[in-house]
Amino acid sequence: MKNRDYNYSSEEFKREDAYLRAQKRLKEIKGFYWHALWYVLVNVFIVVMIAVNTDGNIWHFGTFSTPLFWGIGLGFHAMGVFGKNIFFSKKWEKRKMNEFLDKDKKRWE
């Protein structure tokens, strides 16, 4: 009887642990999307304000320095949330390998 209670308790712990990990992951992704939203809104505002106050002459480093450096920070935030392989994940590699093998197979048929 004790063994059964222990397994139930262990299973309950696993479910709660999975829930907490999912909740943390959701919070990280949500934080990134808020960061990206503020990046776009603030930088559009900055560029528009510079364009209005300089008679449309926006082509200098000062105009784009904030979006550039903040964008680098946003990129690091994305890597922290989604991992290093945002675009070239293992799933993508496998799909491309299968695509190349299929093309090669058709060529030899």
Side-chain angles (χ1 to χ4, degrees), residues 1-106:
M1 187 73 173
K2 283 186 178 182
N3 193 14
R4 184 177 258 177
D5 290 337
Y6 176 76
N7 287 337
Y8 175 75
S9 180
S10 176
E11 190 65 34
E12 187 177 280
F13 173 77
K14 288 178 185 176
R15 270 191 250 133
E16 185 176 348
D17 187 48
Y19 177 80
L20 291 174
R21 280 186 279 123
Q23 190 177 34
K24 181 182 176 192
R25 180 82 175 124
L26 177 64
K27 188 176 180 180
E28 290 173 350
I29 293 171
K30 193 173 164 183
F32 171 75
Y33 287 138
W34 276 111
H35 187 180
L37 173 72
W38 284 111
Y39 170 81
V40 170
L41 293 176
V42 169
N43 286 305
V44 165
F45 176 77
I46 288 172
V47 171
V48 168
M49 291 308 295
I50 290 173
V52 167
N53 291 322
T54 60
D55 299 324
N57 183 16
I58 63 170
W59 301 111
H60 50 84
F61 181 73
T63 304
F64 300 104
S65 62
T66 301
L68 174 68
F69 294 118
W70 190 354
I72 291 169
L74 185 64
F76 280 113
H77 189 175
M79 283 180 17
V81 171
F82 299 109
K84 295 177 188 173
N85 297 323
I86 294 173
F87 302 109
F88 303 115
S89 65
K90 293 291 181 188
K91 186 178 178 181
W92 177 84
E93 287 179 9
K94 185 176 181 181
R95 191 173 61 243
K96 290 307 272 184
M97 283 293 291
N98 288 334
E99 180 183 319
F100 293 144
L101 290 172
D102 287 345
K103 283 182 182 179
D104 203 35
K105 184 179 176 183
K106 288 177 184 176

